[in-house]
Amino acid sequence: AKSSSDDGGNNKIHLVLQRYRSGRILINEETWITVGHAPEQQQQHCGLLIYVSFATGTTEAMVERAAQTLVNLSVLTTGLWGDGTSQQQSLLDIVAQQNHRATSLILCPQANLIS
């Protein structure tokens, strides 16, 4: 999913979202961190990978609105996608159920989303 936050017709924030179950992140080109579902866990993990880009003139209010939108999007499931065992939920829904270990959020700066 791709989203843009705008103010007066000027796109200031661009976001690209991707759901994931697990992944590895390379930090500072030397340390790998694993996020998400491990085979020994009984519960499915769901996470959001968000690429974000800010244009000149982006305000704090725009960033706050984009962040509120992201955590409230109902795009995550704790079951397999489309299997009917769990409904779509937002990141906040899952955390509010005290199920914070079942979800994660990764933000990646991506300057080239703004052209």
Side-chain angles (χ1 to χ4, degrees):
K2 183 176 179 181
S3 174
S4 297
S5 178
D6 63 84
D7 192 42
N10 298 319
N11 291 331
K12 302 291 184 183
I13 303 173
H14 286 258
L15 305 164
V16 176
L17 293 89
Q18 182 174 350
R19 293 178 308 199
Y20 64 88
R21 293 285 181 207
S22 66
R24 292 179 62 200
I25 303 168
L26 180 61
I27 307 293
N28 295 328
E29 298 187 27
E30 60 186 44
T31 305
W32 285 97
I33 297 174
T34 301
V35 294
H37 182 70
E40 65 275 4
Q41 293 176 328
Q42 292 186 1
Q43 183 175 27
Q44 288 286 335
H45 184 91
C46 55
L48 279 179
L49 169 62
I50 302 168
Y51 296 100
V52 60
S53 186
F54 303 101
T56 303
T58 301
T59 66
E60 187 174 327
M62 290 174 188
V63 173
E64 190 171 312
R65 186 175 68 217
Q68 287 292 328
T69 299
L70 287 172
V71 298
N72 284 292
L73 284 174
S74 293
V75 295
L76 298 173
T77 61
T78 52
L80 296 176
W81 181 254
D83 72 354
T85 62
S86 66
Q87 59 182 291
Q88 292 177 316
Q89 300 176 68
S90 72
L91 188 65
L92 280 183
D93 292 337
I94 294 170
V95 171
Q97 297 166 10
Q98 297 183 353
N99 202 5
H100 59 277
R101 290 189 177 149
T103 191
S104 56
L105 173 69
I106 301 170
L107 293 173
C108 295
Q110 194 71 29
N112 64 354
L113 294 177
I114 302 275
S115 39

